[in-house]
Amino acid sequence: MNGRRTLLLTGMAEGLGAEIAETFARAGHDVIGLSRTTRTTGHLTRRVEQAGGSYIHLACDITRAADTIAAIKPLAGRIDVLIHNPHLLTIKPFEQTTSDEFEQAWRVACLGAVIAAQAVIPHMAARRQGTIIFTGATAGFRGAANFSAFASAKFAARGLAQSLAREYSPKGVHVAHVVLDGLIDAPQTEQRFGSQASLRMDPRAVAQAYLDLSKQPPSAWTHEMDLRPFSERF
């Protein structure tokens, strides 16, 4: 990949994922995107290439360990930054939430993070350099009514990030957890919640915050960062 730094972004999709990919490409990274679908691969490839990087797409389900490890393994040694971005937003009354729905939310947010991190973190630790960022949410701090599956998954991912930071910071790996306290202005959000762009988080600004985290010197690492739009109450 031409000696550039490399980003592995799980949960690649339009919206925040695409903005992260483009932002990192402009800053000197090649991008490996992982998601179940290849529907937007051509568009994502063009965006990354126009920003100066190259793009590889890995089509697999992050919750299937064997498939994900097999896809990442040939590239794992060159990955400098891992961003685990997927989630499954299940909003249902607790009594109507099935055990399968509950488990799948955890598998996407937490187990997927475990699988991806285990694939790359030995290489990062061996060279004493690398960054892992987990995308979190307000639900990881405060479980609201009807969010039992989503909140439980996000609590688990936050705990995982804390544990990995304490284990691998001494080995040179920066592990960070970013709390997104608000809705991202993205096509998926508009489809589900309607159009209110002025009250939502600009994905370009969020992507820049991720890039800034990845560039922090070891003498001043941030572990947890919370981002929210000006209109969000907290």
Side-chain angles (χ1 to χ4, degrees), residues 216-233:
Q216 288 182 336
S219 62
W221 276 345
T222 297
H223 170 63
E224 192 155 70
M225 172 188 291
D226 58 327
L227 302 173
R228 62 180 58 84
F230 70 94
S231 58
E232 190 74 21
R233 297 179 63 184

Side-chain angles (χ1 to χ4, degrees), residues 127-196:
R127 63 177 181 263
R128 301 193 64 80
Q129 187 176 35
T131 301
I132 296 175
I133 301 173
F134 294 163
T135 297
T138 311
F141 284 83
R142 185 175 66 248
N146 300 320
F147 282 76
S148 57
F150 184 66
S152 298
K154 286 299 186 180
F155 263 86
R158 184 176 180 233
L160 174 65
Q162 291 178 0
S163 182
L164 293 184
R166 293 184 172 105
E167 183 173 352
Y168 285 96
S169 289
K171 300 177 182 180
V173 182
H174 181 193
V175 181
H177 179 253
V178 180
V179 180
L180 301 184
D181 186 13
L183 294 173
I184 302 288
D185 185 24
Q188 305 94 312
T189 306
E190 188 162 334
Q191 290 171 9
R192 185 162 191 173
F193 298 102
S195 179
Q196 288 183 310

Side-chain angles (χ1 to χ4, degrees), residues 23-218:
T23 297
F24 273 75
R26 292 192 187 283
H29 293 70
D30 291 317
V31 179
I32 303 168
L34 187 151
S35 68
R36 289 179 297 175
T37 179
T38 60
R39 187 174 61 251
T40 60
T41 301
H43 176 62
L44 293 169
T45 300
R46 288 191 295 274
R47 288 189 64 170
V48 171
E49 289 179 347
Q50 289 170 2
S54 66
Y55 183 72
I56 296 174
H57 190 79
L58 306 178
C60 63
D61 184 340
I62 189 66
T63 67
R64 297 182 178 274
D67 293 346
T68 301
I69 292 169
I72 296 174
K73 187 175 181 179
L75 305 167
R78 66 179 65 174
I79 294 168
D80 300 283
V81 182
L82 163 65
I83 297 176
H84 183 67
N85 195 48
H87 67 268
L88 185 60
L89 181 56
T90 302
I91 307 175
K92 295 179 70 173
F94 176 68
E95 292 181 27
Q96 297 175 20
T97 302
T98 68
S99 58
D100 287 343
E101 289 172 328
F102 189 93
E103 180 180 350
Q104 188 62 17
W106 169 80
R107 291 178 70 85
V108 171
C110 189
L111 180 61
V114 170
I115 294 168
Q118 285 187 333
V120 303
I121 209 165
H123 301 279
M124 293 180 175
R127 63 177 181 263
R128 301 193 64 80
Q129 187 176 35
T131 301
I132 296 175
I133 301 173
F134 294 163
T135 297
T138 311
F141 284 83
R142 185 175 66 248
N146 300 320
F147 282 76
S148 57
F150 184 66
S152 298
K154 286 299 186 180
F155 263 86
R158 184 176 180 233
L160 174 65
Q162 291 178 0
S163 182
L164 293 184
R166 293 184 172 105
E167 183 173 352
Y168 285 96
S169 289
K171 300 177 182 180
V173 182
H174 181 193
V175 181
H177 179 253
V178 180
V179 180
L180 301 184
D181 186 13
L183 294 173
I184 302 288
D185 185 24
Q188 305 94 312
T189 306
E190 188 162 334
Q191 290 171 9
R192 185 162 191 173
F193 298 102
S195 179
Q196 288 183 310
S198 63
L199 303 179
R200 292 179 180 156
M201 305 175 74
D202 184 342
R204 292 167 296 183
V206 176
Q208 184 62 47
Y210 280 60
L211 177 63
D212 292 343
L213 270 178
S214 75
K215 297 165 71 174
Q216 288 182 336

